[in-house]
């Protein structure tokens, strides 16, 4: 299963709303997670099972979608939110775990 | 809270075997209901899942790497390990270990850079 993230780069200002998309080549049900990665750091889990916020993740991060189309929304960007974001799926058939290619969220 | 730490050689020669270990602290692999996974990331590129192991020793590998990968677990040391054989420059990457909660990974180790070069 291929995950396609869009846009590749998103340029926004602090305080603005960010909407990141992840599309799967076939249904992954709700088995979709989102991660944030800053330079030199490991990815950090933000959202799991499409819409559940991970522990200690601020409420400005939210996830939605099911099947093949998913969205990560950051309601009001903080300076520390500028990073690369990856989606990830797990499927039983065909059995696979894959990541999207990432969306770079940069300061405008 | 659970923490993971990768360790192993930072430089491997082409055609040799890459070997890494992940030490888990703050929780026990033995009897856990989680998988434990390896993931890698070439410089400036995206993430690739390598494979996973359950505490019982059951393993599942990325089909694209399956012929070269072995993941094992040592519950007495609270560690799991990765071996990748016949490495080439294309295997140069930061390698992460992570607790695998079936549909997502959390937490991750800090990562270790492995360079394949003669």
């Amino acid at each position: 299963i291929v995950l396609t993230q869009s846009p590749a780069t998103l340029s926004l200002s602090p305080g603005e709303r960010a909407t990141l998309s992840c599309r799967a080549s076939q249904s992954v049900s709700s088995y979709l997670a989102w991660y944030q990665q800053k330079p030199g750091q490991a990815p950090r889990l933000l959202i799991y099972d499409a819409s559940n916020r991970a522990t200690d993740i601020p409420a400005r991060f939210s996830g939605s979608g099911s099947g093949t189309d998913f969205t990560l929304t950051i309601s009001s960007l903080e300076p520390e939110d500028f990073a690369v974001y990856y989606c990830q799926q797990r499927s039983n058939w065909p059995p696979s775990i894959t990541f999207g290619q990432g969306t770079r969220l940069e300061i405008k | 809270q659970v923490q993971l730490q990768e360790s192993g050689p930072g430089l491997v020669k082409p055609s040799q075997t890459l070997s890494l270990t992940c030490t888990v602290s703050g929780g026990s692999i033995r009897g856990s209901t989680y998988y434990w996974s390896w993931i890698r990331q070439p410089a400036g590129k995206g993430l690739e899942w390598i494979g996973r192991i359950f505490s019982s020793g059951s393993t599942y590998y990325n089909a694209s790497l399956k012929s070269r990968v072995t993941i094992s677990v040592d519950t007495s040391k609270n560690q799991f390990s990765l071996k990748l054989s016949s490495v080439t420059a294309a295997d140069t990457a930061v390698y992460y270990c992570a607790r695998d909660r079936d549909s997502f990974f959390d937490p991750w180790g800090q990562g270790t850079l492995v360079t394949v070069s003669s």
Side-chain angles (χ1 to χ4, degrees):
Chain A
I1 295 178
V2 176
L3 296 179
T4 302
Q5 292 187 241
S6 62
T9 303
L10 185 57
S11 299
L12 293 170
S13 301
E16 290 193 293
R17 182 183 185 90
T19 303
L20 287 68
S21 175
C22 179
R23 176 164 290 179
S25 59
Q26 63 189 78
S27 177
V28 298
S29 185
S30 293
Y31 296 126
L32 195 287
W34 291 93
Y35 301 87
Q36 177 193 69
Q37 187 177 35
K38 296 180 179 179
Q41 297 184 14
R44 177 175 72 143
L45 177 69
L46 299 174
I47 301 288
Y48 65 94
D49 295 347
S51 61
N52 296 289
R53 258 193 315 275
T55 303
D56 295 332
I57 300 303
R60 64 181 182 272
F61 291 90
S62 64
S64 63
S66 66
T68 60
D69 289 300
F70 300 86
T71 300
L72 173 70
T73 301
I74 311 172
S75 59
S76 179
L77 286 166
E78 297 288 341
E80 62 267 27
D81 297 337
F82 293 92
V84 178
Y85 292 83
Y86 293 96
C87 58
Q88 171 251 316
Q89 67 82 26
R90 183 276 276 170
S91 67
N92 287 330
W93 190 259
S96 73
I97 296 174
T98 55
F99 292 85
Q101 82 281 14
T103 289
R104 180 177 304 278
L105 178 56
E106 63 177 27
I107 300 176
K108 187 173 183 179
Chain B
Q1 69 190 45
V2 172
Q3 294 183 310
L4 297 90
Q5 178 69 57
E6 305 88 350
S7 60
L11 181 64
V12 181
K13 289 181 167 50
S15 80
Q16 294 191 343
T17 296
L18 178 160
S19 296
L20 295 174
T21 296
C22 182
T23 300
V24 178
S25 59
S28 178
I29 292 178
R30 186 197 307 268
S32 73
T33 57
Y34 305 118
Y35 295 98
W36 303 88
S37 270
W38 287 97
I39 299 151
R40 69 181 182 178
Q41 184 174 37
K45 296 188 178 180
L47 299 156
E48 180 180 35
W49 175 71
I50 299 170
R52 62 173 26 163
I53 190 164
F54 198 62
S55 56
S56 64
S58 299
T59 54
Y60 306 87
Y61 301 133
N62 185 325
S64 68
L65 298 168
K66 187 175 183 177
S67 63
R68 299 194 292 131
V69 173
T70 302
I71 297 176
S72 59
V73 65
D74 185 339
T75 55
S76 67
K77 295 182 179 179
N78 222 29
Q79 296 174 335
F80 63 105
S81 298
L82 168 70
K83 291 188 185 300
L84 181 65
S85 64
S86 304
V87 297
T88 70
D91 295 309
T92 294
V94 174
Y95 285 75
Y96 297 101
C97 59
R99 185 173 64 177
D100 177 346
R101 304 185 67 172
D102 188 37
S103 58
F104 59 94
F105 303 102
D106 180 56
W108 297 55
Q110 66 184 30
T112 188
L113 174 62
V114 179
T115 302
V116 179
S117 175
S118 55

